Amino acid sequence: MKTLVSVSDYETEAHRILPQNALDYYRSGAMQEVTLQENKEAFNGWYIRPRVLRDVSKSSLSTTILGHKVSVPYGIAPTAMQRMAHPDGEIANARAGKIGTAFTLSTIATSSIEEIAEYAPDTLRFFQLYIYKDREVTASLVRRAEAANFSALVLTVDAPSFGLRRADIRNKFALPPHLRMANFQTDDEKSNLVNTSSGGSGINEYVSALFDPSLTWDDVAWLTRITKLPIVLK
């Protein structure tokens, strides 16, 4: 690991060690990946403006997010099913938040809300949320996030239906059988549907079966009524 010193180093190593099913899930975008490429190009268009002859003997990258002081001006985004890449999965990523930033746990993570609270107690924790067709599923997740002292909810609003990720369709993507949707403790469809595929992508089948595509501002208002946590729209 000491030889991995940049993001591109980690990307190269991931290509070497990850199973194709997991690698393609993490790295691919929808359709012909035009938006994915445009996002990369847009990010690469940002430059650090050099300023010279400034006193930098005392410098700081710290800022605040939702009133919480953080050491760096970026956070750890919600990424699903991280134990496909490493046995510790989301727990390891949450622990990385101890550098002084926010970690956001995905609803469809392979580590539960309670596990993150237990193993990363000193990390600023947010919880990414989907609105399920069964509103009680969503409400239950909110209550658990509150009980585990998460500091905010991050509601995904840009995915009424998932894009057609061709790599996942080719791979007939499914969560490996030794893993589970950790935020769903029973053997019902919410926990095991993504472990199977009817011939396409298991994650798209999961979303189509369970997520509510009719999401509107009324649902955001409903969420504000059932929680006192700050809500970030993602």
Side-chain angles (χ1 to χ4, degrees):
M1 296 293 287
K2 292 181 179 179
T3 61
L4 307 179
V5 297
S6 68
V7 172
S8 59
D9 286 350
Y10 279 92
E11 183 177 13
T12 299
E13 182 70 2
H15 279 255
R16 187 181 71 83
I17 66 174
L18 288 183
Q20 197 69 41
N21 183 61
L23 177 65
D24 284 347
Y25 175 76
Y26 293 135
R27 74 186 179 108
S28 65
M31 300 298 286
Q32 292 176 279
E33 301 186 343
V34 173
T35 301
L36 177 61
Q37 185 59 39
E38 288 180 344
N39 285 341
K40 290 180 178 179
E41 292 171 356
F43 188 83
N44 288 333
W46 287 90
Y47 294 89
I48 296 175
R49 178 180 294 175
R51 299 183 184 277
V52 298
L53 296 177
R54 302 290 182 96
D55 182 358
V56 294
S57 58
K58 295 179 181 179
S59 58
S60 174
L61 292 174
S62 64
T63 184
T64 60
I65 178 170
L66 299 180
H68 301 276
K69 186 174 182 179
V70 291
S71 300
V72 290
Y74 54 82
I76 302 173
T79 304
M81 299 179 283
Q82 293 181 19
R83 280 184 168 161
M84 290 195 300
H86 190 278
D88 292 340
E90 294 86 356
I91 290 173
N93 226 345
R95 284 172 171 161
K98 291 176 67 175
I99 64 171
T101 191
F103 165 82
T104 306
L105 178 68
S106 171
T107 287
I108 51 177
T110 42
S111 303
S112 71
I113 293 168
E114 292 78 14
E115 286 175 311
I116 297 300
E118 178 181 358
Y119 292 106
D122 300 325
T123 297
L124 176 61
R125 303 182 303 274
F126 298 165
F127 182 65
Q128 177 269 333
L129 190 68
Y130 292 108
I131 300 290
Y132 281 76
K133 294 176 182 177
D134 181 350
R135 288 296 190 275
E136 178 53 31
V137 173
T138 301
S140 175
L141 290 168
V142 170
R143 292 193 295 267
R144 288 169 58 194
E146 291 174 334
N149 293 320
F150 278 62
S151 296
L153 301 174
V154 179
L155 177 65
T156 294
V157 296
D158 64 347
S161 61
F162 269 29
L164 294 176
R165 294 159 58 99
R166 291 174 177 174
D168 290 343
I169 295 171
R170 294 187 188 101
N171 294 333
K172 296 180 174 56
F173 174 84
L175 187 64
H178 68 285
L179 297 175
R180 64 189 177 92
M181 293 290 199
N183 284 317
F184 304 96
Q185 305 299 325
T186 65
D187 290 329
D188 65 11
E189 62 179 355
K190 294 173 213 42
S191 60
N192 61 28
L193 182 62
V194 79
N195 289 95
T196 62
S197 168
S198 63
S201 166
I203 189 66
N204 281 70
E205 292 164 12
Y206 179 91
V207 169
S208 296
L210 300 175
F211 290 1
D212 191 344
S214 68
L215 190 66
T216 69
W217 284 104
D218 290 339
D219 299 291
V220 179
W222 167 76
L223 186 59
T224 65
R225 292 194 296 270
I226 68 168
T227 184
K228 294 182 179 179
L229 290 177
I231 299 170
V232 177
L233 301 187
K234 170 185 175 293

